[in-house]
Amino acid sequence: MKNIVVRYGVIASLIVVGMPLLSGLIIGFGMDSFAMGEIVGYTSMIAAMTTVYFAMRQYRDQINNGMLSFGLGLKIGSLVSVLAGIAFAIYNVVFVTIIMPDFNEQYFAYAEGLELGTPEFEAKFTAMMESNGFMFSVLGGTILMFATVFLIGFIMSVISTLILQRKQVMTV
């Protein structure tokens, strides 16, 4: 099971980090690319978490004699999701500290329809940071990105397990 989890966790990690990174290199990292970045980001999370299904299916068919219990399927899917979540969390840290250190300010301006540096932006950004600054901190954003990927993966794990589970038939 470990080899399958690691293999599909690495594949999911490459997808969930690679698609946004590649997209950013093509369309750029800035306010004018945020709308497309959101689409690419969530699409990459969903695409990456489809690996959960393939990990479970391979385990069931090639390792476990065609059997997959709900608990085992959930375990495999959750572990793949954890690996992808950790990869995306690390990417988030690199992104907001090295690639685009002013991401929070730019994204807030984009989301609020404000122009960076204006008094209105400064007032609203300061107020938001005072009331909800943790989510815009490196740690808060990293936890949020991990949780988002993991939650999508967990949902995919439940769905995939329901599709793929096969219980051993008792013979008398």
Side-chain angles (χ1 to χ4, degrees):
M1 181 171 78
K2 180 182 173 186
N3 290 338
I4 289 174
V5 167
V6 170
R7 179 182 313 120
Y8 285 95
V10 167
I11 293 168
S13 297
L14 290 172
I15 294 169
V16 81
V17 171
M19 283 177 63
L21 187 58
L22 184 61
S23 170
L25 293 172
I26 293 169
I27 64 174
F29 298 105
M31 289 177 68
D32 53 338
S33 67
F34 285 161
M36 182 57 74
E38 289 172 344
I39 293 168
V40 169
Y42 286 110
T43 301
S44 71
M45 290 178 198
I46 293 167
M49 293 299 91
T50 62
T51 61
V52 163
Y53 172 86
F54 296 106
M56 287 182 203
R57 190 177 74 182
Q58 183 177 0
Y59 183 81
R60 181 195 71 189
D61 295 347
Q62 295 179 8
I63 308 293
N64 209 33
N65 299 319
M67 301 300 157
L68 183 71
S69 68
F70 186 82
L72 187 56
L74 204 56
K75 180 178 179 180
I76 292 167
S78 295
L79 290 171
V80 170
S81 301
V82 164
L83 292 177
I86 290 170
F88 200 65
I90 292 168
Y91 171 71
N92 181 71
V93 170
V94 171
F95 186 81
V96 300
T97 58
I98 297 170
I99 297 172
M100 194 174 183
D102 61 343
F103 171 78
N104 289 332
E105 292 85 355
Q106 285 195 38
Y107 191 80
F108 183 80
Y110 159 78
E112 294 291 318
L114 300 171
E115 189 174 328
L116 273 172
T118 63
E120 183 183 12
F121 166 79
E122 295 298 332
K124 285 188 173 186
F125 186 74
T126 300
M128 184 279 307
M129 289 299 285
E130 288 174 359
S131 66
N132 197 21
F134 178 72
M135 292 315 297
F136 278 81
S137 70
V138 173
L139 179 60
T142 300
I143 291 170
L144 180 63
M145 292 300 104
F146 170 83
T148 303
V149 171
F150 179 76
L151 182 59
I152 292 169
F154 186 78
I155 292 167
M156 294 291 258
S157 298
V158 170
I159 294 168
S160 297
T161 301
L162 290 172
I163 293 169
L164 293 170
Q165 74 178 340
R166 288 192 197 149
K167 297 177 183 168
Q168 187 170 12
V169 178
M170 300 288 287
T171 56
V172 182

